[in-house]
Amino acid sequence: MPDAPTATSLLRDGFLLLGSALAFVLLFRRLGLGATLGYLVAGAVMGPHVLGLVGDAEGKIGIAELGITLLLFVVGLELAPARLWRLRHSIFLFGTSQVLLSGLALALVIGLATRFSWAAALALGLPLALSSTAQVLPLLQSAGRLRTPFGERAFAILLFQDLSIIPLITVIAAMSRNPADAGGPPGWLLGLYTVAAIVGLVAAGRFVIRPLFGLIGNLGEREMFVVAALFTVVASAALMEALGLSTALGAFVAGVMLADSPYRHELEADVEPFRSILLGLFFLAVGMMLDLPAIARSPLFVVTMALALIAIKAGIVFSIALAFRMTWRGALALGLLLSQGGEFGFVLFAQAQSALLISGEAASQFGAIVTLSMASTPFLMMATAKLREAPTIRETREEPKHDGANALIVGYGRFGQTVAQILIAADIPVTLIDSDVEMIDVAGHFGAKVYFGDGTRLDLLRQAGAAEAELICFCIDGEQLTPDIVEAVHTAFPNAALFARAYDRRSVILLKPTPVKFVVREVYESAVRMGRLALEELGASEEAIDRAETMYRARDKERLKLQIESGDVSAARDRIIVQPQREGR
């Protein structure tokens, strides 16, 4: 068996890398330093310069770069037109100013402080302008500020930075000194390729991909949905690669073309595990490739440049934030929060090295600078907490409780539609989820935006905003909602009140002991209403109608209470109102 050694080597490498990643990520999370640093340190420790237990970092990073592609796909999915329009000033004005000013300032400092060419200084300075989405978003989430105006502004800037990787890759390619790149097509032709590819992807998304997801949704095969999602990402990236363009651009366009589709949350939930694993492998490989001896030869340079990076970015973000009329302490908080280098820096340093703009030693040194700056962020935020404390409290009081979905409605049939329209009539923002593709299409014709997916899945609920929701209404038909599902949802999203539609008394008996706040029998009130109308038609007085309804409700409530206590639907049969036997009948 000639392939046995290779298989054994892969298993061994996987065991060592995953084991070290698990240990270091848990440790770094515990210390508040974030998962990205844990992966980088784990890779460095397992790599050739420390323990030397795992090799072939270049081969592993080739596979792991698919994680970057999936990350850009998810970023594209975030760009729903409504949210993009709401955050347009922060994304395009604040974001553009921050990336350009920070990148040019850092390139100038690098050019003056080193012997690098100006092209190399640009190839290093512009990537350093990008902050760490993977580190900042969890910090905002843990502080409960992701959905506040402060958090939305930080997210908007990070979003623009993530989008910036595509033009930055193009800039580095244009400055390339690699003879292999020189033999490629001219810039104007690449521009035509880019426009044609984007138009082709958008057309494919509308006329091929969306109908494909609709077909799979009707079949109810979740595994096929995962396959179709990965196929969409890989096919888009492969098309761009075949044209000599950025694979990240292809994945991003694929995400954007599906951002406003009913399948957005389902796609996010299905792609997320693959993105997380491959992105972690990417950072492991980057850690393995860090040239630690080169870093050890110039520790003063690495520390000084890391301090310069933090000071320059914090100062520029602080100044722009003041220009956008933020309080000076809020501006300081935003500046410190975004002062570090980011994960895309490692991607762009590798691009610059491939383009022969910088050496491998320089890529390792600046990778260490980014790593050091990322490690500093939690400590900077903790050290300045008292300085920012008072205005943060005032700002929080002025902010709305949530700026996202206040309610999730799972199931948009005849029951869910009524609940949703009442909430919307009261100006409560809602997110609607259903698994019936045909119903979603019909709802779309009437102007309702319903997302496809199984609303009992925790990962899909999380993508739909359940962590920030105040209310989750399960309006699904039949007996799909089980006590186990309710317990899991309550544990995952304890701040959301849970309402449930019950099919019959058996469903009420099952769900009542769970954390559901209200259980509503689907035909109870309508049946009572019809009973009142029937009595009215038969000539009963209003007093007699009220008396009959009160008697029925009291007996039914008592009977249901005893059934719940005993867990037996046949209990308390004597509480049923029965017609007395008449003679001759």
CSV table of all heavy atoms in Angstrom, one decimal, residues 137-146 148 396:
chain,number,residue,atom,x,y,z
A,137,LEU,N,-15.1,41.9,16.5
A,137,LEU,CA,-16.5,41.6,16.6
A,137,LEU,C,-16.8,40.8,17.9
A,137,LEU,O,-17.8,41.1,18.6
A,137,LEU,CB,-17.0,40.8,15.4
A,137,LEU,CG,-17.1,41.6,14.1
A,137,LEU,CD1,-17.7,40.8,13.0
A,137,LEU,CD2,-17.9,42.9,14.3
A,138,PRO,N,-16.0,39.7,18.3
A,138,PRO,CA,-16.3,39.1,19.6
A,138,PRO,C,-16.1,40.0,20.8
A,138,PRO,O,-16.9,39.9,21.8
A,138,PRO,CB,-15.2,38.0,19.6
A,138,PRO,CG,-14.9,37.7,18.2
A,138,PRO,CD,-15.0,39.0,17.5
A,139,LEU,N,-15.2,41.0,20.7
A,139,LEU,CA,-15.1,41.9,21.8
A,139,LEU,C,-16.4,42.8,22.0
A,139,LEU,O,-16.8,43.0,23.1
A,139,LEU,CB,-13.9,42.9,21.6
A,139,LEU,CG,-12.5,42.3,21.8
A,139,LEU,CD1,-11.4,43.3,21.4
A,139,LEU,CD2,-12.3,41.9,23.3
A,140,LEU,N,-16.9,43.2,20.8
A,140,LEU,CA,-18.1,44.0,20.8
A,140,LEU,C,-19.3,43.1,21.3
A,140,LEU,O,-20.2,43.6,22.1
A,140,LEU,CB,-18.4,44.6,19.5
A,140,LEU,CG,-17.6,45.7,19.0
A,140,LEU,CD1,-17.8,46.0,17.5
A,140,LEU,CD2,-17.8,47.0,19.8
A,141,GLN,N,-19.3,41.9,20.9
A,141,GLN,CA,-20.4,41.0,21.2
A,141,GLN,C,-20.4,40.7,22.7
A,141,GLN,O,-21.5,40.7,23.4
A,141,GLN,CB,-20.3,39.7,20.5
A,141,GLN,CG,-21.6,39.3,19.7
A,141,GLN,CD,-21.3,38.2,18.7
A,141,GLN,OE1,-20.2,37.7,18.5
A,141,GLN,NE2,-22.4,37.9,18.0
A,142,SER,N,-19.2,40.4,23.3
A,142,SER,CA,-19.1,40.1,24.7
A,142,SER,C,-19.5,41.3,25.6
A,142,SER,O,-20.0,41.2,26.7
A,142,SER,CB,-17.7,39.6,25.1
A,142,SER,OG,-16.8,40.7,24.8
A,143,ALA,N,-19.3,42.5,25.0
A,143,ALA,CA,-19.6,43.8,25.8
A,143,ALA,C,-21.1,44.2,25.6
A,143,ALA,O,-21.5,45.1,26.2
A,143,ALA,CB,-18.7,44.9,25.3
A,144,GLY,N,-21.8,43.4,24.7
A,144,GLY,CA,-23.2,43.7,24.4
A,144,GLY,C,-23.4,45.0,23.6
A,144,GLY,O,-24.4,45.6,23.7
A,145,ARG,N,-22.4,45.4,22.8
A,145,ARG,CA,-22.5,46.7,22.1
A,145,ARG,C,-22.5,46.5,20.6
A,145,ARG,O,-22.4,47.5,19.8
A,145,ARG,CB,-21.3,47.5,22.5
A,145,ARG,CG,-21.2,47.8,24.0
A,145,ARG,CD,-20.3,49.0,24.3
A,145,ARG,NE,-20.8,50.2,23.8
A,145,ARG,CZ,-20.2,51.4,23.7
A,145,ARG,NH1,-18.9,51.4,24.0
A,145,ARG,NH2,-20.8,52.5,23.3
A,146,LEU,N,-22.6,45.2,20.1
A,146,LEU,CA,-22.6,45.0,18.7
A,146,LEU,C,-23.7,45.7,17.9
A,146,LEU,O,-23.6,46.2,16.8
A,146,LEU,CB,-22.5,43.5,18.4
A,146,LEU,CG,-22.4,43.1,16.9
A,146,LEU,CD1,-21.1,43.7,16.3
A,146,LEU,CD2,-22.3,41.6,16.7
A,148,THR,N,-25.5,48.3,19.0
A,148,THR,CA,-25.6,49.7,19.4
A,148,THR,C,-25.0,50.6,18.3
A,148,THR,O,-24.3,50.1,17.4
A,148,THR,CB,-24.9,50.0,20.7
A,148,THR,OG1,-23.5,49.9,20.5
A,148,THR,CG2,-25.3,49.1,21.8
A,396,THR,N,-25.0,54.7,26.3
A,396,THR,CA,-25.8,53.5,26.3
A,396,THR,C,-27.3,53.8,26.6
A,396,THR,O,-28.2,53.3,26.1
A,396,THR,CB,-25.3,52.4,27.3
A,396,THR,OG1,-23.9,52.2,26.9
A,396,THR,CG2,-26.1,51.2,27.2
